[in-house]
Amino acid sequence: FKLLFSNTFKNKLNLTLGFNRYSGLGFFKQQQSFTNNFYASSNYTHKNNRVGYYTYFLFNKLKHQENGGIKNDSLFLTDVTVNKQLLPMNLSNAKREVRNTTYNLDAWLRLNKVEDSSTVFSHFINYTFNYSGNYSKYVDLNDTIDKYYQVHYLDTVKTRDSTHWRSFSNTINYSIKINPIHTRLELGFKNEYNQVHQHRDSLFMNNIVNVGAYLQQKNYTGFIKANYIVSGANIGDYSIDVNNQYQLKLFNSNKKRDTEPLLKNEYLKIKFNVNYESRHPDFIYNTWLSNHYAWSNAFVPTQKLQGLFSLQVPKANGEVGVIYQNTKNMLYMNELAVPQQAGVSIQNISLYIRKEFLFFNHLGLNAQYNYQTSSYQAIVSMPNHIVNSAIYYQGNLFKRALQLQIGFNVQYYNAFNGMAYMPATNMYYVQTDKTVGNYPFVDFFLNARIKPVRFFIKIDHLNQGFSGNNYYLTPGYLQNDRAVKFGLNWLFFD
């Protein structure tokens, strides 16, 4: 069920309300889920553009059953077409509920009364208030029957765990725009108040300063910004972000004039982004108390450097890029599903290339290839090769009355040790016993439009039952079986 209302009043005040509710049974036992989503937003700008605000409220609630994965997959491995409801699961009566509530208010005021083409400097004050509340509850009423967990700290019969995180923040920023050179400078202060409740309360605050410089030219857009925690529980944490995007016109030296473009209005976009941060571990990595897991750690801050470099030709629908990441003191969940800090620096790298082709104005091919690797696969296990590709036909038929697109999409990961999932903590952890991947997922799709009517047909995992049985990405949790989906959108006009 979906509901949407949006209206902009004459005084530039906008109000939007939305509500979504949906559920799913899943393919396996104990896989039912319910989701509720409500959001409201409003924005306003005064007619002289001197004052305005943007605010939103978001509430998400998810309730789903936890089945702990397939208990014994020998039946499935023998016959991939077996009814998944017949497969025994590890948990028979476990549930999880997750709630997220967010409220944000962003108000701004231009200090100078007039802003026009002759204005050199524009001064702004911006105030932001943010509240974020996260709640998670895990219940297992058949703990003594399933015997899935070996350790009990609080109750040997039933498990009733809950965790609640709350965060309040107030931020005030001063910014100055230097209009002739399209530059903005920013200086701000943020106070952050956090509360974590898990059988006991924990409170901590942080005071943060931030600076930033933003520049926008005809062929260049970029910024540099930094944050530093000057006092509080995470004192000394900082982050620096540098973002650059250049746009260069392509030329063809073989033509009569060197200044004649290779393709009309064709550009090469160059992106170069760098992020460096040092931050204390999240609270839950140091302190945790539940029925099946408990730990108290004193992990040191993590340092991470990440960079992106890419080349993109938008008109040719092509892009190549590389992402590099170096992490010191990385935190991860080890093979016992408890936090651990790596004693070595870990380097990860990803190379990607993407290109779209259109032959004879009707036959399309969209292909993307990723190569990625880690210097420490025992901690950061990932598929080295990822392929995403789609081939399709598109055209206007029956004197342009029917717009049609029909084709296939293929996704492939090579073999790797996928991370395992722990229901009690709702976290993924490292495992080295089971290899997943090395399996293609093929989907069929058809999209069509006949004047005001749009409809689609999609068959997910079309090749299920014909390409082997290793369609896991997480051990114990199979990807979805073949499924037929369809939809219809018909607009009626008065």
Side-chain angles (χ1 to χ4, degrees), residues 262-448:
L262 178 64
L263 294 172
K264 187 177 181 181
N265 299 323
E266 181 62 301
Y267 291 90
L268 172 67
K269 286 187 177 181
I270 305 173
K271 292 183 181 180
F272 177 64
N273 304 332
V274 177
N275 168 265
Y276 183 76
E277 68 173 15
S278 175
R279 58 176 293 173
H280 282 76
D282 290 343
F283 182 85
I284 60 174
Y285 284 99
N286 276 327
T287 304
W288 184 273
L289 177 60
S290 65
N291 195 28
H292 305 294
Y293 286 90
W295 57 74
S296 180
N297 300 313
F299 293 133
V300 299
T302 297
Q303 287 85 40
K304 183 175 73 173
L305 170 67
Q306 181 168 300
L308 163 71
F309 178 77
S310 70
L311 302 173
Q312 181 184 9
V313 183
K315 192 171 182 179
N317 293 318
E319 182 179 5
V320 295
V322 57
I323 300 173
Y324 172 79
Q325 185 183 86
N326 181 67
T327 308
K328 182 180 179 181
N329 302 322
M330 175 183 285
L331 287 167
Y332 66 99
M333 306 299 287
N334 63 22
E335 294 189 68
L336 299 177
V338 299
Q340 186 171 332
Q341 194 158 46
V344 296
S345 294
I346 299 176
Q347 294 80 40
N348 305 316
I349 189 168
S350 174
L351 305 171
Y352 67 91
I353 181 170
R354 177 185 60 82
K355 183 69 174 76
E356 295 183 29
F357 302 91
L358 186 62
F359 303 100
F360 314 112
N361 293 322
H362 293 289
L363 184 61
L365 175 64
N366 182 348
Q368 178 170 326
Y369 168 73
N370 289 64
Y371 172 78
Q372 52 188 21
T373 185
S374 173
S375 64
Y376 214 81
Q377 287 278 356
I379 294 177
V380 185
S381 179
M382 61 178 70
N384 295 123
H385 307 280
I386 302 176
V387 177
N388 284 284
S389 183
I391 184 169
Y392 58 90
Y393 169 85
Q394 65 180 22
N396 298 316
L397 308 177
F398 304 108
K399 297 182 179 180
R400 306 182 69 85
L402 171 64
Q403 299 176 14
L404 178 69
Q405 185 183 71
I406 182 171
F408 297 89
N409 184 79
V410 180
Q411 187 177 66
Y412 171 81
Y413 305 84
N414 75 300
F416 69 106
N417 291 321
M419 299 189 74
Y421 173 68
M422 175 50 62
T425 58
N426 196 29
M427 297 182 188
Y428 288 86
Y429 64 95
V430 171
Q431 66 85 30
T432 56
D433 295 329
K434 190 172 182 62
T435 300
V436 301
N438 197 25
Y439 182 91
F441 294 91
V442 181
D443 301 332
F444 166 81
F445 62 88
L446 183 151
N447 303 309

Side-chain angles (χ1 to χ4, degrees), residues 150-201:
Q150 304 302 316
V151 179
H152 298 77
Y153 290 100
L154 304 172
D155 192 330
T156 59
V157 178
K158 299 178 181 179
T159 297
R160 296 181 182 273
D161 291 329
S162 65
T163 305
H164 202 164
W165 305 265
R166 295 187 185 92
S167 176
F168 301 85
S169 67
N170 291 277
T171 306
I172 187 164
N173 288 323
Y174 165 75
S175 61
I176 177 173
K177 286 173 57 182
I178 309 174
N179 295 305
I181 59 174
H182 306 285
T183 300
R184 177 167 60 92
L185 305 176
E186 188 175 277
L187 175 65
F189 175 81
K190 178 180 179 180
N191 172 262
E192 183 181 73
Y193 174 88
N194 300 280
Q195 180 185 39
V196 180
H197 176 76
Q198 192 183 63
H199 295 285
R200 60 175 180 263
D201 286 334

